[in-house]
Amino acid sequence: MILATRRKKPARKRRGRKRGAAARRRLRLKVSLYGLAIVVVAAAAALVWVDRDLVERFRQRQIAAPARVYSRPVEWFPGSPVDRQRAIETLRSIGYRQTKGKLSPGNFSVGNSRIDVATRAFEYSDAVTPADRVRVEFDGASIARITRRGVETSALTLDPVVIGSLADRRHEDREILRLHEVPDRFLEVLLMVEDRHFMSHPGIDPVAIIRALWNNILSGRVTQGGSTISQQLVKNLYLSSEQTLSRKAIEALYAIVLELHFDKHEILEAYINEVFLAQAGNRAIHGFGLGAEYFFGRSLAELDTADYALLVGMVKAPSAFNPRRHPERAVERRNVVLSILAEEGLIDESQLAALSKKPLGVVDAERGGSQSNAGFIDLVRRQVVERGVSDLQGVNELNVWSTLDPVVQRAAEDALAGTLSRIESQKNIPAGTLQGAIVVLRAENGEVVALVGDRRRGYAGFNRALDARRPVGSLLKPVIALTALESPRGYHLATPVEDAPLSIELKNGKTWSPGNYDGEFHGVVPLMTAIERSYNVASARLGLEVGVGPFVARLSQLALDETPSPFPSALLGAVEMSPLEVARLYLPFASGGLSFPPRAYVTATDGRRRVLSRNPSATRRLINPDTHYLVHFLLRGVVDRGTAQGVLGDFGRRMGLAGKTGTTDDFRDSWFAGYSGNYLAVVWVGRDDNRPTGLSGSTGALPVWRELMRSLPLRRAEFDVPGNVDWLTVDAVSGYRVGRGCDTALQVPFIDGGPVPPRGGCGATATVKRGDGNAFTRLLNRLFSGDEDAPSDRAWQQNGRR
């Protein structure tokens, strides 16, 4: 028994071991099953998350287009001061091409004294204008007649162009095209080169993948991906551009998921608008629509097969095949694409030969829609936000219809950059140290047609036209004259003003002594001479007589949101303003006494042409017609007889130009504000570090202004003589009424019923009727001797040079 019992024990051990092994196997199986379940659940959850995330991001991306900003339409009328050459340049600047063949929209032909234009259909604000055929005939320097299909018409309006975008933080820009807007020929080229099986594959093309895999094995590295359009779209939207097998696998999975939720047309449309084509500074050019504008200055529908071949060929390597940087490579790549089209029968051999020899036809970056209008776009962005569209990226296809005139903008950019370079060379100023800004408004309505905030074209940094607030010097002297002429104390343009030494002892022990630009004093002079020749002392005396308080109140009413401190130095320009504020100040002078808020856009609409924001032009009369006519005479006198005469000369007199120079402390700021009948332009020149430039208003800003105005179609600045205004002959030296035989006689306007100068001899010395200079000085001493905060003698002397 014992033996028998002992023999059975090993059997029990073996059975125990077997049961333990089975248990362990069952445990491992359970663990494996649980693990597999967890993996499956996790994978399913990840797939669901990927699916939802991919779909949601795709839908959001489809509407994530930056707000497009359009220029104002070009408008021509019979009598417009536009000659044939200027008209040709204008048409080219907005993307029209000259041709000798049959006209199609976007083309024009030229005759001896005419231009035939096939206009494009276009939208501006909430209105649509159809395409048309128009003939423009010229009579020397102006348009004589406009006919539309043989019938005379009163105007020609040409389509606006995209001038930029209110780009998002990614600095990505694109021109959204709907698939029905894409030419069939372009779609044929695109699918033949990039994905010929696009309409039939499920997101990946196995044949292309196998071919690419075989080539990668032969090369020993990843050189081809076999990507479909769906895969390329996924890579552009969600993934990096690295060439790894894991990234390619994720790309394939994403492409399949994308095609499960969206049809081919949606995917193809998204790809056409998303593909990356170029980098323009900090602005990424996405989509074939914007690519066509950027490289050819025309819409995709206006390009031909060779242009399509270039754009599609660039997709493979946008930087390497950029036609501006690498034209030889671009031609080679374009011709490879053309050869593919010939092999597939889309073009014949003769077409291949002709298209392969064609020049690239690429326009320069500025005409191609680069953000050369950065300063103006900055103003548009601010005004759009101020008027209620706060989420610029939350609107489906936001379109902003601006007031910019591309021709004037280009002229302003050229005038600033070119003239500053010439001044630096002529004056031995270190190259690139001068800076400047220009604002141009339409004189009749205050629309901003050009704005330049930096001499560097396209610079999107500090915007001097809006944000550089600098002392304005003698630009405020016309406001002194306006305040005086409106005063009940009886001033007129020939009122004698004393330009003699003026010293005021202040309580702090300092002496306040303004001086003139030329270091001389000129005795008693007419009011108009004091302003036209920018005499500081005479202008200061006039302003002090009228009152600094009324002067700064009038200045605030004309241009400023806050009233400056009523220090006497304000009379000579110790008031800081931006170029846009100066333009607002001078607009009533240029418009006949009316005020308009300078506006940079008219309306903002969404993709359905619904108006989201309007920017109305509210009109106020700030100067009555009688007084305005007298101030306009003064500003014309600055050009005809005063500080601008030497620079503008016969050009200024012939065009009836008017304006005022301004220079500040130690020649730090150079200004000119002036106008023709149709444009008001303000120019500032200076240095960002506020160091002296050595330039006065007439040697710095005025030459820039002259070059700008010479390049524009100007109308004379003329206003109807108000019924209450009459003309008298006065001596320009003394201001006395004289006969026409006087050599210094001048016809001057006066308000009927108002004060007039006494009769006197030709060349006689005028006298100040309101008291002598010593009495006036004693009065000022009593007024300001207790002013501890009065500006320093230096500020009084320097601010307000010519």
Side-chain angles (χ1 to χ4, degrees):
M1 290 295 293
I2 295 174
L3 292 173
T5 302
R6 289 176 177 172
R7 291 192 189 99
K8 291 179 180 177
K9 286 182 179 178
R12 285 198 298 270
K13 290 181 179 179
R14 287 194 296 272
R15 286 196 296 272
R17 287 195 294 270
K18 290 180 179 178
R19 285 195 296 271
R24 287 193 294 273
R25 285 196 298 271
R26 287 193 297 273
L27 179 60
R28 285 195 296 269
L29 179 60
K30 287 180 180 180
V31 171
S32 299
L33 290 174
Y34 286 143
L36 179 61
I38 291 172
V39 170
V40 170
V41 171
L47 188 59
V48 169
W49 180 85
V50 167
D51 182 86
R52 290 182 179 177
D53 180 64
L54 189 73
V55 171
E56 182 62 26
R57 288 166 65 188
F58 181 79
R59 285 175 175 156
Q60 291 177 353
R61 191 68 177 197
Q62 282 183 299
I63 63 171
R68 311 295 296 164
V69 182
Y70 291 82
S71 70
R72 70 185 306 276
V74 174
E75 294 178 308
W76 290 338
F77 308 92
S80 293
V82 178
D83 60 21
R84 192 189 69 160
Q85 185 57 39
R86 192 184 298 275
I88 292 172
E89 293 170 359
T90 299
L91 289 168
R92 288 174 176 165
S93 73
I94 60 174
Y96 280 72
R97 285 184 177 177
Q98 185 173 347
T99 181
K100 295 182 179 179
K102 182 180 179 181
L103 289 181
S104 58
N107 293 324
F108 68 94
S109 62
V110 178
N112 287 333
S113 58
R114 63 170 174 79
I115 296 177
D116 292 314
V117 186
T119 65
R120 305 182 181 109
F122 67 89
E123 173 186 350
Y124 183 75
S125 188
D126 52 354
V128 178
T129 300
D132 211 340
R133 289 281 301 275
V134 181
R135 171 167 290 184
V136 182
E137 299 177 58
F138 300 89
D139 181 13
S142 63
I143 294 176
R145 186 180 298 103
I146 301 175
T147 55
R148 197 180 304 271
R149 300 185 183 276
V151 179
E152 284 199 38
T153 185
S154 59
L156 168 60
T157 304
L158 298 169
D159 46 305
V161 295
V162 175
I163 61 169
S165 67
L166 307 182
D168 60 15
R169 287 184 296 271
R170 295 181 298 270
H171 299 290
E172 296 179 4
D173 201 1
R174 52 182 55 76
E175 173 72 31
I176 296 296
L177 292 177
R178 298 307 178 197
L179 198 58
H180 69 270
E181 298 174 319
V182 180
D184 291 340
R185 186 62 161 182
F186 177 79
L187 292 176
E188 289 178 334
V189 175
L190 176 64
L191 295 179
M192 186 61 65
V193 175
E194 287 299 307
D195 190 355
R196 64 184 64 191
H197 300 128
F198 173 74
M199 299 305 297
S200 59
H201 64 60
I204 60 173
D205 187 345
V207 175
I209 291 175
I210 293 172
R211 181 175 62 249
L213 181 61
W214 176 250
N215 289 331
N216 291 338
I217 292 172
L218 292 178
S219 65
R221 57 189 178 90
V222 178
T223 59
Q224 295 184 18
S227 295
T228 63
I229 280 178
S230 302
Q231 288 175 268
Q232 292 182 51
L233 179 60
V234 162
K235 182 186 70 174
N236 288 338
L237 290 180
Y238 312 112
L239 304 175
S240 68
S241 59
E242 62 177 344
Q243 292 279 15
T244 63
L245 292 177
S246 61
R247 205 274 296 157
K248 294 296 293 183
I250 295 174
E251 176 188 292
L253 174 62
Y254 278 22
I256 293 171
V257 171
L258 200 64
E259 295 229 9
L260 290 174
H261 289 279
F262 301 97
D263 64 35
K264 294 285 186 179
H265 295 89
E266 291 177 289
I267 294 172
L268 183 58
E269 182 179 283
Y271 175 80
I272 287 171
N273 290 308
E274 184 61 34
V275 63
F276 172 76
L277 290 176
Q279 188 70 36
N282 67 345
R283 175 175 172 242
I285 306 299
H286 285 264
F288 291 109
L290 184 59
E293 295 283 352
Y294 181 68
F295 286 111
F296 297 101
R298 296 162 68 83
S299 70
L300 193 64
E302 295 179 56
L303 304 185
D304 61 19
T305 301
D307 302 329
Y308 294 156
L310 175 61
L311 289 175
V312 171
M314 289 179 61
V315 173
K316 183 178 181 181
S319 179
F321 298 127
N322 186 305
R324 292 198 184 100
R325 298 177 182 173
H326 309 291
E328 297 82 5
R329 292 184 201 167
V331 168
E332 184 179 350
R333 176 60 180 164
R334 180 200 66 181
N335 292 347
V336 168
V337 173
L338 290 173
S339 297
I340 294 174
L341 302 182
E343 291 172 3
E344 298 299 329
L346 290 183
I347 58 175
D348 58 32
E349 291 299 324
S350 62
Q351 290 174 313
L352 172 62
L355 293 175
S356 297
K357 296 177 182 177
K358 181 186 173 186
L360 287 173
V362 174
V363 299
D364 60 62
E366 292 161 7
R367 283 183 53 200
S370 67
Q371 202 87 328
S372 62
N373 313 298
F376 181 85
I377 298 296
D378 185 17
L379 177 60
V380 170
R381 180 184 291 103
R382 298 186 195 192
Q383 291 194 354
V384 167
V385 172
E386 286 172 0
R387 286 154 181 77
V389 185
S390 58
D391 183 6
L392 298 178
Q393 306 307 321
V395 179
N396 182 17
E397 295 182 47
L398 178 64
N399 296 311
V400 181
W401 307 97
S402 85
T403 59
L404 181 134
D405 185 325
V407 176
V408 181
Q409 177 71 20
R410 180 64 180 268
E413 293 170 347
D414 290 346
L416 185 63
T419 308
L420 290 189
S421 295
R422 286 195 297 274
I423 290 174
E424 287 171 340
S425 176
Q426 294 167 359
K427 304 286 187 180
N428 294 318
I429 299 172
T433 57
L434 291 179
Q435 263 296 351
I438 297 178
V439 176
V440 186
L441 306 184
R442 285 195 172 276
E444 65 269 21
N445 58 22
E447 291 183 350
V448 184
V449 294
L451 188 146
V452 184
D454 193 286
R455 68 183 290 180
R456 294 165 290 183
R457 194 188 308 273
Y459 179 72
F462 182 62
N463 191 342
R464 293 162 188 81
L466 306 182
D467 299 323
R469 305 188 84 250
R470 307 290 286 261
V472 295
S474 295
L475 292 185
L476 300 189
K477 287 175 182 172
V479 182
I480 299 175
L482 172 65
T483 310
L485 294 170
E486 292 174 331
S487 168
R489 298 178 62 181
Y491 291 89
H492 51 72
L493 293 180
T495 295
V497 182
E498 188 173 18
D499 188 62
L502 172 65
S503 296
I504 302 175
E505 294 180 4
L506 303 178
K507 188 176 180 180
N508 59 14
K510 293 184 178 181
T511 300
W512 200 1
S513 299
N516 285 324
Y517 174 82
D518 57 6
E520 308 245 342
F521 295 98
H522 307 89
V524 178
V525 298
L527 181 154
M528 57 185 178
T529 301
I531 304 300
E532 292 170 358
R533 299 185 182 178
S534 207
Y535 293 157
N536 284 345
V537 183
S539 299
R541 286 180 179 274
L542 176 63
L544 288 166
E545 288 181 13
V546 173
V548 181
F551 163 76
V552 295
R554 196 65 170 108
L555 174 62
S556 178
Q557 184 185 34
L558 289 169
L560 299 176
D561 296 328
E562 297 181 1
T563 302
S565 299
F567 294 145
S569 60
L571 296 166
L572 297 185
V575 177
E576 294 184 345
M577 300 175 68
S578 71
L580 183 62
E581 288 174 325
V582 172
R584 181 180 166 191
L585 169 64
Y586 270 72
L587 186 56
F589 301 149
S591 67
L594 303 177
S595 173
F596 314 89
R599 61 173 182 165
Y601 82 99
V602 179
T603 59
T605 61
D606 65 9
R608 298 179 182 179
R609 298 196 185 98
R610 294 178 300 188
V611 176
L612 304 177
S613 172
R614 293 189 186 276
N615 193 9
S617 178
T619 306
R620 292 188 302 155
R621 175 163 289 283
L622 289 184
I623 308 173
N624 73 60
D626 300 343
T627 308
H628 167 266
Y629 196 81
L630 271 58
V631 175
H632 171 65
F633 179 85
L634 277 178
L635 296 174
R636 280 285 305 273
V638 172
V639 173
D640 293 347
R641 300 175 294 278
T643 55
Q645 178 186 14
V647 176
L648 295 179
D650 182 61
F651 168 66
R653 289 187 293 272
R654 186 176 69 254
M655 297 309 303
L657 302 178
K660 185 70 185 75
T661 54
T663 315
T664 63
D665 184 8
D666 291 335
F667 300 94
R668 298 176 190 276
D669 301 281
S670 171
W671 292 90
F672 190 81
Y675 55 91
S676 66
N678 48 344
Y679 295 115
L680 162 66
V682 174
V683 176
W684 169 82
V685 172
R687 290 181 57 147
D688 287 337
D689 59 10
N690 201 32
R691 293 173 60 188
T693 64
L695 301 173
S696 66
S698 59
T699 59
L702 184 53
V704 177
W705 192 90
R706 176 190 60 196
E707 291 307 304
L708 166 63
M709 300 300 271
R710 278 181 170 175
S711 64
L712 299 181
L714 303 181
R715 295 198 307 267
R716 284 182 58 85
E718 294 181 326
F719 299 96
D720 293 335
V721 181
N724 289 335
V725 170
D726 202 357
W727 294 82
L728 297 176
T729 303
V730 302
D731 180 12
V733 177
S734 66
Y736 289 149
R737 280 186 292 162
V738 295
R740 292 181 179 272
C742 178
D743 292 340
T744 54
L746 182 67
Q747 287 284 300
V748 178
F750 291 83
I751 297 176
D752 286 346
V756 296
R759 291 190 178 276
C762 181
T765 301
T767 60
V768 180
K769 300 297 185 182
R770 294 173 305 285
D772 61 30
N774 291 331
F776 183 64
T777 300
R778 289 193 295 271
L779 171 64
L780 293 181
N781 280 327
R782 289 198 303 272
L783 288 175
F784 295 106
S785 61
D787 188 358
E788 294 280 6
D789 297 321
S792 68
D793 169 56
R794 182 178 180 80
W796 173 253
Q797 283 186 321
Q798 302 298 336
N799 285 298
R801 296 176 187 267
R802 286 190 186 182

